[in-house]
């Protein structure tokens, strides 16, 4: 194997971008919050993937790494996850449902700094009793730092007793309302 | 040797090498494989893969070969290297004969249009590089910013190329991921990620739009819908990115938009033509059965749109059915497009492994 020849091909093939594009623009300065709601008979499992772009990654890391030792300790991870949780709300029908953090996966600082790695939180919202009939989940993500952009989707229910009957997104997807039915 | 003479000699050698590469690519472009029976197509792809292996030394074979099941399966991305660390055989590290063998393999595995799409995406990345987009070194251990250009694409074999046992051809780099799983006379090319930046550029005076047909067919379809259909198809919220992009394996979201069962036959045909832009990337022998499967599920297939409906605008769309998910997501404008192509029932050839 040896070195490449792209520069040589450049001599022979005139490739001229028509739009004057230059540097790649892979969400460098945005903090993507992707929420996925899995609705089941026992409640809602919320997965929140948080991907800071490379231009905001250091700011996000500073939010987490409060002692500035370039290591995300368990305590720092837990504290950051709890801060994020406090910015979320989930209601089933007319009642707020407590959010319980089940899993918090954090990449290493160096990986997070690359602009592609995601912090993943898995959160359980279990109402006291989900009766048969029609219900509605209302989710809201109020975390808005570092150029937050949002995706919010309901996963196709795995349990055949659950059927989604309608969805309503906030314009920027920071909120999602899902209407569903539970069969006995 | 005088400096200027040596320079001319070196330049002549470089040009000759580049011409050889160009001829190899051109030969692959101009001699697409004819439609064949699936088993014959697999045999042809396996032979081309073995031809690649035959050009490599032990180190090269070790670099290209991975287990069928393992972390390499999901080691693909829209991002450039080294922002995303790829593994496999990098084109930059190949001799011209090795590179020609790789391109011949791709031409064997893909349809004529699919192969051309891959070349166009790579050419677009070259345009990005020449436009000053990528000055990093790229590749494993690379330093600095992201590296763009035709050299920064990687080939990997997951499993041993075989006409009877499952294995996977993985090829990709910035804005491109092809995951073609073969198992005897069966094949799956999901998940795959054809993307483009710039979305339009010129090569020798000719305008190239790697995803231009995808864009134009989608706008034609949304504009062929009547007011009631548009009311269902057009989402009233912004979609900032792919929902089921890299790292989202195994997830299926609740479909939204307009069901194809509510479309007129001509609109359904337009939808199928749009879908074929992705399903038709793999070689014709496999694209045909794949389109037949998608067509059989067409009544349960949804088309959703977010954004303006005037062609030339940045708009997101999604096609979702029992065996297909396609997303098309402009990244802040019309000149940078990400797409994803999945089969919720058969990503990475899941059904092949069960057979």
């Amino acid at each position: 194997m040896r070195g490449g020849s792209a520069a040589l091909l450049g001599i022979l093939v005139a490739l001229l971008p028509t739009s004057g594009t230059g540097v790649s623009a892979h969400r460098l300065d945005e903090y993507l919050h992707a929420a996925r709601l899995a609705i089941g008979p026992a409640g809602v499992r919320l997965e929140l993937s948080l991907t800071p772009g490379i231009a905001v990654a250091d700011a996000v890391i500073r939010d987490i790494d409060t002692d500035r030792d370039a290591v995300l300790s368990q305590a720092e991870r837990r504290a950051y996850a709890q801060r994020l949780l406090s910015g979320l709300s989930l209601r089933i029908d007319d009642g707020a449902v407590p959010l319980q953090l089940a899993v918090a996966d954090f990449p290493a600082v160096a990986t997070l700094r690359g602009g592609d790695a995601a912090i993943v939180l898995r959160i359980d919202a279990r109402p006291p009793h989900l009766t048969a009939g029609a219900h509605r989940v209302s989710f809201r993500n109020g975390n808005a730092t570092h150029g937050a952009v949002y995706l919010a989707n309901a996963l196709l229910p795995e349990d055949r007793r659950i059927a989604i009957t309608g969805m309503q997104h906030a314009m920027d997807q920071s909120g999602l309302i899902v209407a569903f039915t539970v069969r006995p | 040797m005088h400096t200027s003479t040596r320079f001319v000699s070196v330049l002549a050698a470089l040009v000759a090498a580049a011409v050889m590469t160009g001829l190899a690519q051109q030969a692959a472009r101009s001699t697409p494989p004819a439609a064949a029976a699936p088993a014959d197509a697999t045999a042809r792809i396996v032979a081309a893969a073995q031809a690649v292996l035959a050009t490599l030394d032990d180190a090269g074979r070790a670099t290209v070969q991975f287990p069928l099941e393992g972390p390499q399966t999901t080691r693909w991305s829209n991002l450039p290297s080294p922002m995303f660390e790829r593994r496999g055989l990098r084109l930059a590290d190949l001799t011209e004969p090795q590179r020609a063998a790789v391109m011949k393999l791709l031409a064997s595995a893909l349809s004529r249009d699919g192969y051309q799409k891959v070349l166009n995406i790579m050419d677009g990345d070259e345009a990005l590089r020449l436009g000053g987009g990528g000055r990093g070194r790229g590749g494993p251990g690379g330093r600095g910013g992201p590296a763009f250009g035709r050299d920064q694409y990687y080939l990997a074999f997951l499993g041993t190329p075989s006409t009877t046992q499952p294995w996977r051809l993985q090829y990709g780099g910035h804005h491109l991921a092809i995951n073609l799983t073969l198992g005897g006379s069966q094949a799956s090319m999901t998940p795959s990620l054809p993307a483009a930046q710039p979305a339009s550029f010129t090569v020798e005076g000719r305008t190239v739009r790697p995803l231009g047909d995808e864009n134009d067919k989608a706008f034609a379809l949304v504009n062929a819908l009547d007011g009631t259909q548009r009311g269902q198809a057009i989402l009233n919220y912004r979609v900032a990115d792919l929902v089921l992009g890299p790292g989202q394996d195994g997830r299926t979201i609740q479909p939204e938009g307009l069901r194809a069962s509510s479309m007129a036959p001509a609109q359904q045909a337009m939808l199928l033509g749009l879908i074929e832009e992705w399903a038709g990337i793999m070689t014709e022998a496999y694209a045909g059965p794949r389109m037949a499967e998608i067509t059989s599920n067409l009544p349960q297939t949804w088309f959703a749109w977010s954004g303006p409906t005037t062609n030339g605008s940045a708009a997101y769309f999604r096609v979702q059915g029992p065996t297909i998910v396609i997303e098309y997501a402009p990244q802040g404008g019309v000149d940078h497009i990400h797409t994803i192509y999945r089969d919720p029932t058969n990503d990475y050839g899941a059904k092949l492994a069960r057979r």
Side-chain angles (χ1 to χ4, degrees), chain A residues 80-167:
Chain A
Y80 186 71
Q82 289 299 334
R83 282 205 302 279
L84 287 168
L85 244 65
S86 68
L88 306 176
S89 71
L90 193 143
R91 302 176 70 85
I92 295 183
D93 301 326
D94 291 325
V97 181
L99 300 178
Q100 295 188 326
L101 184 66
V103 176
D105 284 335
F106 283 71
V109 166
T111 307
L112 203 55
R113 199 167 271 140
D116 181 40
I119 299 164
V120 178
L121 307 182
R122 293 190 178 85
I123 299 157
D124 287 326
R126 299 191 182 280
H129 182 55
L130 206 52
T131 57
H135 297 278
R136 193 174 71 160
V137 172
S138 303
F139 166 73
R140 179 89 192 159
N141 183 351
N143 295 292
T145 57
H146 310 307
V149 295
Y150 308 94
L151 294 173
N153 288 91
L155 298 179
L156 205 60
E158 293 182 355
D159 192 304
R160 290 179 178 275
R161 289 173 291 177
I162 306 294
I164 292 174
T165 56
M167 290 189 291

Side-chain angles (χ1 to χ4, degrees), chain A residues 1-6 14-16 18-19 22 26-27 36 47 116 153-156 167 169-171 173, chain B residues 78-79 92-93 126 128 133 150-151 174-175 200 202-204 237-238 240-241 243 248 251-252 254 256 335 338:
Chain A
M1 291 188 276
R2 66 170 180 73
S5 61
L15 290 167
L16 298 174
T18 56
S19 55
H26 282 99
R27 308 214 161 277
R36 289 170 286 271
E47 183 180 276
D116 181 40
N153 288 91
L155 298 179
L156 205 60
M167 290 189 291
H169 290 77
M171 179 69 84
Q173 294 204 62
Chain B
N78 54 283
L79 292 168
D93 300 322
E126 187 70 9
L128 192 63
R150 282 194 212 93
D151 280 355
H174 184 216
H175 284 149
S200 177
T202 59
V203 177
E204 296 175 328
Y237 60 91
R238 172 179 175 248
D241 208 339
V243 178
Q248 302 303 319
R251 295 186 170 95
T252 305
Q254 180 74 16
E256 291 181 278
D335 206 37
H338 290 176

Side-chain angles (χ1 to χ4, degrees), chain B residues 194-285:
Chain B
Q197 184 194 22
S200 177
F201 54 95
T202 59
V203 177
E204 296 175 328
R206 179 175 53 92
T207 298
V208 177
R209 299 168 66 217
L211 302 176
D213 288 342
E214 290 83 341
N215 176 86
D216 296 348
K217 289 181 177 182
F219 274 102
L221 174 56
V222 77
N223 283 294
L225 304 178
D226 64 27
T228 303
Q229 290 172 318
R230 281 201 202 194
Q232 296 172 46
I234 298 176
L235 308 174
N236 63 350
Y237 60 91
R238 172 179 175 248
V239 184
D241 208 339
L242 299 174
V243 178
L244 297 171
Q248 302 303 319
D249 296 336
R251 295 186 170 95
T252 305
I253 60 172
Q254 180 74 16
E256 291 181 278
L258 174 69
R259 274 181 79 142
S261 57
S262 299
M263 293 181 181
Q267 295 165 336
Q268 292 178 342
M270 294 173 79
L271 178 60
L272 286 171
L274 176 62
I275 291 169
E276 196 166 14
E277 289 297 327
W278 284 266
I281 293 174
M282 65 179 168
T283 190
E284 290 84 348

Side-chain angles (χ1 to χ4, degrees), chain B residues 111 214 227 285 336:
Chain B
S111 67
E214 290 83 341
H336 184 178

Side-chain angles (χ1 to χ4, degrees), chain B:
Chain B
M1 190 183 289
H2 190 273
T3 303
S4 63
T5 307
R6 187 165 63 231
F7 173 76
V8 170
S9 299
V10 170
L11 181 61
L14 296 178
V15 168
V19 167
M20 282 182 62
T21 300
L23 290 175
Q25 287 198 357
Q26 186 59 41
R29 287 180 210 229
S30 60
T31 54
D40 294 340
T42 296
R44 192 181 60 238
I45 297 165
V46 168
Q50 289 170 340
V52 171
L53 292 171
T55 68
L56 302 175
D57 57 17
D58 288 347
R61 282 191 289 274
T63 302
V64 78
Q65 195 68 62
F66 295 85
L68 180 57
E69 306 294 339
Q72 183 69 10
T73 297
T74 56
R75 199 173 280 139
W76 55 272
S77 171
N78 54 283
L79 292 168
S81 301
M83 285 177 69
F84 182 85
E85 185 183 340
R86 293 180 173 81
R87 294 186 191 170
L89 212 55
R90 186 171 64 146
L91 294 192
D93 300 322
L94 303 184
T95 64
E96 296 306 333
Q98 290 168 339
R99 196 161 171 147
V102 170
M103 301 317 290
K104 188 172 181 183
L105 167 60
L106 292 176
S108 299
L110 307 179
S111 67
R112 178 200 294 263
D113 288 349
Y115 180 66
Q116 188 60 53
K117 198 186 302 280
V118 165
L119 294 180
N120 288 346
I121 290 168
M122 294 170 65
D123 283 351
D125 216 51
E126 187 70 9
L128 192 63
R129 185 183 74 83
L130 294 175
R135 297 194 178 86
R137 287 164 48 188
R143 294 289 184 273
F148 301 131
R150 282 194 212 93
D151 280 355
Q152 307 300 332
Y153 289 81
Y154 290 71
L155 173 72
F157 297 146
L158 286 71
T160 304
S162 164
T163 56
T164 56
Q165 299 301 308
W167 66 285
R168 185 172 307 120
L169 185 165
Q170 185 191 70
Y171 181 78
H174 184 216
H175 284 149
L176 178 66
I178 299 288
N179 292 295
L180 177 63
T181 307
L182 294 156
S185 59
Q186 309 286 328
S188 161
M189 206 202 72
T190 59
S192 286
L193 186 154
Q197 184 194 22
S200 177
F201 54 95
T202 59
V203 177
E204 296 175 328
R206 179 175 53 92
T207 298
V208 177
R209 299 168 66 217
L211 302 176
D213 288 342
E214 290 83 341
N215 176 86
D216 296 348
K217 289 181 177 182
F219 274 102
L221 174 56
V222 77
N223 283 294
L225 304 178
D226 64 27
T228 303
Q229 290 172 318
R230 281 201 202 194
Q232 296 172 46
I234 298 176
L235 308 174
N236 63 350
Y237 60 91
R238 172 179 175 248
V239 184
D241 208 339
L242 299 174
V243 178
L244 297 171
Q248 302 303 319
D249 296 336
R251 295 186 170 95
T252 305
I253 60 172
Q254 180 74 16
E256 291 181 278
L258 174 69
R259 274 181 79 142
S261 57
S262 299
M263 293 181 181
Q267 295 165 336
Q268 292 178 342
M270 294 173 79
L271 178 60
L272 286 171
L274 176 62
I275 291 169
E276 196 166 14
E277 289 297 327
W278 284 266
I281 293 174
M282 65 179 168
T283 190
E284 290 84 348
Y286 289 120
R290 173 72 172 138
M291 281 304 296
E293 177 188 52
I294 292 166
T295 303
S296 71
N297 289 317
L298 195 63
Q300 294 84 46
T301 302
W302 299 69
F303 177 65
W305 186 274
S306 173
T309 57
T310 303
N311 198 348
S313 308
Y316 165 95
F317 65 83
R318 183 190 308 146
V319 177
Q320 184 175 350
T323 65
I324 188 169
V325 174
I326 291 169
E327 289 183 274
Y328 179 102
Q331 304 293 296
V334 297
D335 206 37
H336 184 178
I337 309 297
H338 290 176
T339 85
I340 190 77
Y341 168 50
R342 289 185 178 275
D343 178 347
T345 68
N346 200 21
D347 274 357
Y348 305 110
K351 284 196 281 198
L352 309 187
R354 286 198 295 269
R355 285 194 177 101

